[in-house]
Amino acid sequence: MNKYAKFAAMIATSTLVMFGLMYLNTYSLDHVFFSETRAYMAMVMGASMAVVMLLFMLGMYDDARANIAILAGSALVFAGALWLVRSQETVDDVSYMRAMIPHHSIAVLTSRRAHISDPRVRELADGIIDAQVREIDEMKALIRDLEAQPED
């Protein structure tokens, strides 16, 4: 495998790993759903990492055209993925809820596991837990309902 193919494989693998790592802060495994937004954010990070790594290791990569292509391609991926994150253009009802369940789960994890000593903060955290768990259950039910509907 040539060094540029190895570089591409390294960036692609790292991007996939970063996507998976973004789910480590969910409270429960049943709160892990595919999220387009997280996939786009992984692409933003992967594109950024490609630029940083290439520039740090430029001495190893001596093909100026390939380097320019990597930098330009990374800039395009970064801009496109960032636009998709910020616009939410591809996010529909179900994909919205699939993204929100892990997001709510983070609030549950933080609220349950934080070392809270002030009773007012504990009361706030407990209210957050109740609301987030209720909303996660509601979103799961809505997903099941929407996915069971016949397509037009």
Side-chain angles (χ1 to χ4, degrees):
M1 177 183 297
N2 81 35
K3 58 188 170 185
Y4 282 99
K6 192 179 244 185
F7 183 84
M10 180 175 52
I11 296 300
T13 301
S14 297
T15 301
L16 287 172
V17 167
M18 285 186 282
F19 173 74
L21 291 174
M22 284 191 269
Y23 288 96
L24 291 179
N25 60 347
T26 54
Y27 180 71
S28 174
L29 194 56
D30 69 319
H31 296 168
V32 174
F33 286 83
F34 175 79
S35 165
E36 288 177 45
T37 300
R38 287 174 189 243
Y40 301 145
M41 278 307 301
M43 292 170 65
V44 165
M45 291 184 281
S48 300
M49 187 175 63
V51 170
V52 170
M53 290 179 71
L54 180 64
L55 293 177
F56 266 98
M57 300 185 299
L58 205 51
M60 294 173 52
Y61 298 95
D62 52 6
D63 184 338
R65 288 181 130 181
N67 294 345
I68 290 169
I70 290 169
L71 294 172
S74 295
L76 286 172
V77 169
F78 178 92
L82 184 60
W83 180 80
L84 288 166
V85 166
R86 303 286 302 165
S87 71
Q88 296 289 290
E89 187 64 32
T90 64
V91 177
D92 62 14
D93 296 347
V94 171
S95 57
Y96 163 77
M97 290 183 290
R98 288 182 181 274
M100 290 305 293
I101 290 171
H103 172 77
H104 279 43
S105 185
I106 294 166
V108 173
L109 177 92
T110 305
S111 297
R112 286 197 185 192
R113 303 245 170 102
H115 299 284
I116 299 170
S117 59
D118 187 289
R120 298 167 300 173
V121 178
R122 181 74 262 157
E123 182 180 352
L124 175 65
D126 290 342
I128 289 170
I129 293 166
D130 292 342
Q132 300 302 297
V133 167
R134 184 179 61 254
E135 290 173 8
I136 288 170
D137 291 342
E138 183 179 355
M139 286 185 281
K140 285 180 174 180
L142 280 167
I143 290 169
R144 283 190 301 273
D145 183 57
L146 290 170
E147 289 181 336
Q149 292 179 1
E151 295 198 24
D152 296 331

